Amino acid sequence: MDFQLSEEQQQLRRSVREFAEREIAPNVMKWDEAGEFPMETIKELGRLGLMGVVFPTEYGGAGMGYVEYVLAIEELSRIDGSVGIIVAAHTSLCSNHIFVAGNEEQRRKYIPKLATGEFIGAWGLTEPSSGSDAGSARMTAVRKKDCWVLNGTKTFCTNGHYADVLVVIAVTDRTAHTHGLSAFIVEKGTKGFRAGKKENKLGLRASDTAELIFEDCCIPAQNLLGKEDDGFIDAMRVLDGGRISIAALSLGMAQGAYDVALKYSKQRKQFGKPISDFQAIQWKLADMATEIDAARLLTMRSASMKDAGMKTTLESSMAKLYASEVAVRCANESVQIHGGYGFIKDYPAEKFYRDVKLCTIGEGTSEIQRMVIARQLLKD
Ligand SMILES: Cc1cc2nc3c(=O)[nH]c(=O)nc-3n(C[C@H](O)[C@H](O)[C@H](O)COP(=O)(O)OP(=O)(O)OC[C@H]3O[C@@H](n4cnc5c(N)ncnc54)[C@H](O)[C@@H]3O)c2cc1C
């Protein structure tokens, strides 16, 4: 068992960290306060190969694996979780769904543009009345001659307003429940499709969360993604990888919250000494560092299993559940270590506290992760 990163992986981590500190850190609060989507930064990440880390070079990707993808998401999220979730939804949900379920023509048409950031991707499964119970989706897709007609509404779609390509799941056979859902590729500008309400959020405010509205939206028959009625099964496979990226997003924000708390504890003096001299603060730091390490090990285990071609339903859910709950605890303690300054927007602890909460909700809540884990444990 080898716990060391290779020289190339360490170099990738260093270069993403430098990029995030140089290009993202100075803008974080401006983007957050304005709810501004960091388009230029996302395009630059595309030029650097970070919008398609896991895809083969022949499809325009960086030709790396999930371990490298975790490193990149972690380092981006250590500075700004909004950038982390934009890249994660684009890569492991939209692009990866096309890559794993798409035919060769679909792969060739979309992956190179997505992997280089020329196109931004989004993935819509959730609907107003179906979140955790995603199989009860209501949006319909009806085949008419050489097109599919989509009708319905998706909600909470990351990147929805900015996406050039979207993957959406719709009902093709109402009688078959989860075996009657199919996935479709929708291009921006298709008649009958528009992004609706932009959500005004607690955190991750520079990321976009959109309603998607489909009204008699005709898409070409060849935009069916994967086999008809296999959309839900494919979506669950996609989420096995997606949950690794939410674990990495959590890990990055937990590490960021810890780093600023450690630094502050050495600078802030009370009772004539740095607060890091007090055992109460030291124990908080010790618990944070230990839990972050454990979360990283779980996340890297699922990433390296994925790279080895193994099924990771159990391990991805464990990593996502644990890392997201660690991130919430670490952000809370980071604010506590900052005292009153943790409550003030001049210090990054405040933003981590707001941003991390999404991690216990998106791509399956903590309750749903526990259901997935228990189901796997009780399977045999
Ligand atoms: C910022 C943001 C970005 C998102 N991005 C995307 C995206 O890009 N694409 C997309 O498709 N979706 C996206 N989502 C949606 C997200 O995946 C859902 O919000 C999530 O799955 C929960 O669904 P829900 O909000 O409907 O909550 P509900 O399912 O209504 O859950 C409410 C509560 O009930 C609990 N609960 C539900 N069922 C059970 C059960 N059986 N047992 C125990 N407890 C249960 C839940 O855990 C939760 O605590 C995003 C959400 C947010 C907030």
Side-chain angles (χ1 to χ4, degrees):
M1 200 171 283
D2 184 3
F3 290 102
Q4 302 308 311
L5 294 175
S6 69
E7 184 45 50
E8 292 77 21
Q9 289 165 339
Q10 290 177 45
Q11 178 53 40
L12 174 77
R13 162 167 280 195
R14 275 193 297 274
S15 56
V16 181
R17 179 170 292 206
E18 280 164 24
F19 176 85
E21 287 178 345
R22 191 180 64 244
E23 304 291 330
I24 299 175
N27 300 303
V28 166
M29 283 316 283
K30 177 177 75 104
W31 294 338
D32 182 73
E33 304 238 300
E36 181 184 335
F37 188 88
M39 184 61 89
E40 265 319 298
T41 302
I42 296 303
K43 293 291 173 187
E44 186 56 26
L45 290 174
R47 287 188 279 274
L48 294 170
L50 296 173
M51 296 299 277
V53 172
V54 294
F55 304 111
T57 49
E58 66 261 36
Y59 294 94
M64 294 189 269
Y66 272 75
V67 168
E68 289 81 4
Y69 178 52
V70 164
L71 292 173
I73 296 285
E74 182 188 341
E75 288 303 326
L76 295 171
S77 309
R78 178 177 163 269
I79 299 298
D80 190 1
S82 285
V83 175
I85 195 175
I86 293 168
V87 178
H90 165 95
T91 309
S92 39
L93 295 183
C94 175
S95 308
N96 198 45
H97 198 142
I98 296 174
F99 190 74
V100 299
N103 56 37
E104 196 51 24
E105 198 184 330
Q106 291 167 333
R107 284 178 165 194
R108 294 271 167 215
K109 183 169 178 195
Y110 296 108
I111 299 296
K113 288 188 172 146
L114 287 162
T116 51
E118 184 183 336
F119 278 2
I120 290 174
W123 192 78
L125 175 64
T126 306
E127 297 186 5
S129 61
S130 65
S132 300
D133 183 13
S136 66
R138 292 184 180 174
M139 179 166 148
T140 55
V142 177
R143 181 72 191 258
K144 287 220 173 117
K145 293 188 187 144
D146 53 356
C147 72
W148 287 95
V149 184
L150 306 181
N151 275 293
T153 304
K154 294 286 170 186
T155 193
F156 295 155
C157 182
T158 299
N159 300 340
H161 287 97
Y162 299 90
D164 302 280
V165 180
L166 303 98
V167 172
V168 292
I169 315 294
V171 180
T172 36
D173 179 357
R174 175 76 62 205
T175 60
H177 195 49
T178 53
H179 295 284
L181 292 165
S182 305
F184 298 91
I185 301 172
V186 180
E187 294 188 18
K188 183 183 183 170
T190 305
K191 194 163 166 276
F193 161 64
R194 66 196 153 92
K197 184 180 173 219
K198 176 182 167 68
E199 301 296 348
N200 185 6
K201 307 193 293 293
L202 168 74
L204 299 176
R205 292 177 54 80
S207 72
D208 175 57
T209 311
E211 180 186 34
L212 310 177
I213 300 163
F214 297 87
E215 289 167 325
D216 290 330
C217 173
C218 290
I219 57 164
Q222 65 265 27
N223 284 23
L224 172 70
L225 178 60
K227 288 202 193 109
E228 187 175 338
D229 298 336
D230 271 1
F232 186 78
I233 293 143
D234 287 341
M236 294 303 109
R237 277 201 292 153
V238 166
L239 283 173
D240 284 352
R243 285 171 182 159
I244 299 175
S245 75
I246 301 297
L249 174 72
S250 310
L251 198 49
M253 289 195 272
Q255 186 69 51
Y258 166 83
D259 288 348
V260 296
L262 179 71
K263 185 171 168 207
Y264 185 81
S265 73
K266 292 197 254 183
Q267 291 166 347
R268 176 69 174 171
K269 288 194 175 145
Q270 288 294 285
F271 302 95
K273 45 176 137 167
I275 59 169
S276 59
D277 280 10
F278 302 126
Q279 192 181 53
I281 301 294
Q282 291 175 2
W283 284 21
K284 286 187 195 301
L285 292 168
D287 284 346
M288 289 162 83
T290 305
E291 291 193 336
I292 291 169
D293 238 18
R296 186 172 288 112
L297 290 172
L298 279 177
T299 307
M300 283 302 185
R301 177 182 67 165
S302 57
S304 61
M305 283 175 66
K306 187 117 182 63
D307 287 339
M310 297 163 77
K311 190 167 189 294
T312 65
T313 307
L314 174 69
E315 293 77 9
S316 295
S317 275
M318 284 179 165
K320 196 270 184 188
L321 170 65
Y322 187 73
S324 63
E325 299 211 334
V326 162
V328 169
R329 281 199 291 276
C330 286
N332 182 37
E333 290 294 39
S334 183
V335 169
Q336 195 66 21
I337 290 170
H338 281 77
Y341 297 95
F343 206 68
I344 304 294
K345 287 183 182 287
D346 296 352
Y347 289 80
E350 180 267 350
K351 182 171 175 296
F352 284 121
Y353 186 80
R354 287 185 288 112
D355 286 351
V356 287
K357 190 57 200 159
L358 182 272
C359 298
T360 64
I361 297 169
E363 297 199 29
T365 61
S366 287
E367 292 74 20
I368 295 302
Q369 300 313 317
R370 288 185 170 91
M371 276 170 52
V372 172
I373 293 165
R375 210 175 281 146
Q376 293 293 315
L377 298 176
L378 295 167
K379 211 163 56 174
D380 299 324

